[in-house]
Amino acid sequence: DGGITQSPKYLFRKEGQNVTLSCEQNLNHDAMYWYRQDPGQGLRLIYYSQIVNDFQKGDIAEGYSVSREKKESFPLTVTSAQKNPTAFYLCASSIQGNNSPLHFGNGTRLTVT
Amino acid sequence: GENVEQHPSTLSVQEGDSAVIKCTYSDSASNYFPWYKQELGKRPQLIIDIRSNVGEKKDQRIAVTLNKTAKHFSLHITETQPEDSAVYFCAASGGWSGNQFYFGTGTSLTVIP
């Protein structure tokens, strides 16, 4: 949806460097999420946040960090501790509460060499 | 946590035929089941969803069925067209994990003209 903006679309980094992926939404959604997508593995949850200044680890949080200082923004930092960071990263948001669909950004393809 | 399995991983059909994708889930408390379509290099987009108080939902050529007892739900696409070619993901949410979404590993659908 046009309401979620991820930048940049492509990102290249050298191994050992931290890198931050941006995610901004203007949908007034309380909940925001970061997913990692690898071929054949579907979408795996990294971190999610249901309100400002609060976030929880997902299934694959090791080597990643997030912050939620503003409702509109949920940046993801891929640290040097992430052993296999090359992947397609998707940010999403939803209205708080059950039975509300995720709205995805266009994704950032990160390549670490 | 919730475990969502999706089959088949690849599916080829002739244009005009029907396509069926099946998913099972493990958490009996899950109550919201969206389906997403993802074209190559693009964001996943919601195509249809179903809530646990409904057994079937239709939207033109697309339908979803839910069997809560058996804990499985299926996507049905009728009169397939080449533009239906994409990767389809099922998801489940609303169980013990609340607002978290758990995704299947995806089905790559090819519609042969």
Side-chain angles (χ1 to χ4, degrees):
Chain A
D1 292 343
I4 301 178
T5 303
Q6 288 187 243
S7 61
K9 186 174 182 178
Y10 299 98
L11 192 54
F12 299 89
R13 280 293 182 271
K14 293 290 187 182
E15 192 173 327
Q17 292 180 333
N18 292 353
V19 59
T20 297
L21 283 59
S22 169
C23 178
E24 304 279 332
Q25 54 99 0
N26 61 5
L27 300 170
N28 199 34
H29 287 171
D30 288 306
M32 296 188 74
Y33 307 77
W34 275 104
Y35 286 90
R36 170 179 172 142
Q37 187 172 29
D38 296 285
Q41 295 194 48
L43 285 74
R44 293 183 291 168
L45 182 64
I46 304 172
Y47 268 98
Y48 68 103
S49 168
Q50 301 192 57
I51 57 172
V52 174
N53 292 323
D54 185 54
F55 47 82
Q56 288 79 40
K57 293 181 178 180
D59 297 323
I60 56 166
E62 184 175 353
Y64 299 97
S65 65
V66 293
S67 63
R68 187 81 187 279
E69 298 177 0
K70 299 186 298 182
K71 187 176 184 177
E72 305 79 24
S73 178
F74 191 41
L76 173 74
T77 297
V78 185
T79 75
S80 57
Q82 167 52 232
K83 296 179 181 178
N84 186 21
T86 295
F88 187 53
Y89 291 88
L90 285 161
C91 179
S93 70
S94 73
I95 298 171
Q96 184 63 282
N98 293 342
N99 299 335
S100 300
L102 292 176
H103 299 258
F104 286 92
N106 281 324
T108 293
R109 186 165 298 279
L110 172 65
T111 302
V112 177
T113 57
Chain B
E2 172 70 280
N3 181 45
V4 178
E5 295 189 356
Q6 183 172 347
H7 300 280
S9 57
T10 60
L11 180 60
S12 292
V13 299
Q14 292 292 135
E15 183 177 358
D17 288 349
S18 295
V20 180
I21 302 170
K22 298 181 179 180
C23 289
T24 61
Y25 61 99
S26 60
D27 184 355
S28 58
S30 290
N31 57 14
Y32 178 61
F33 307 92
W35 284 88
Y36 289 85
K37 175 183 180 182
Q38 186 178 29
E39 297 177 357
L40 190 62
K42 296 188 177 181
R43 73 179 88 193
Q45 293 196 306
L46 179 73
I47 55 171
I48 197 167
D49 57 10
I50 192 167
R51 293 166 174 80
S52 61
N53 59 346
V54 175
E56 183 176 5
K57 183 177 179 180
K58 290 183 179 179
D59 183 2
Q60 299 181 351
R61 295 186 297 109
I62 295 173
V64 57
T65 58
L66 171 65
N67 183 328
K68 287 179 59 182
T69 302
K71 290 189 284 187
H72 67 71
F73 56 113
S74 300
L75 178 71
H76 304 254
I77 306 174
T78 59
E79 301 173 21
T80 54
Q81 301 166 3
E83 50 265 39
D84 293 330
S85 296
V87 178
Y88 292 82
F89 292 97
C90 63
S93 78
W96 69 272
S97 58
N99 231 30
Q100 285 194 47
F101 287 76
Y102 290 87
F103 286 84
T105 50
T107 296
S108 177
L109 173 64
T110 301
V111 179
I112 304 166

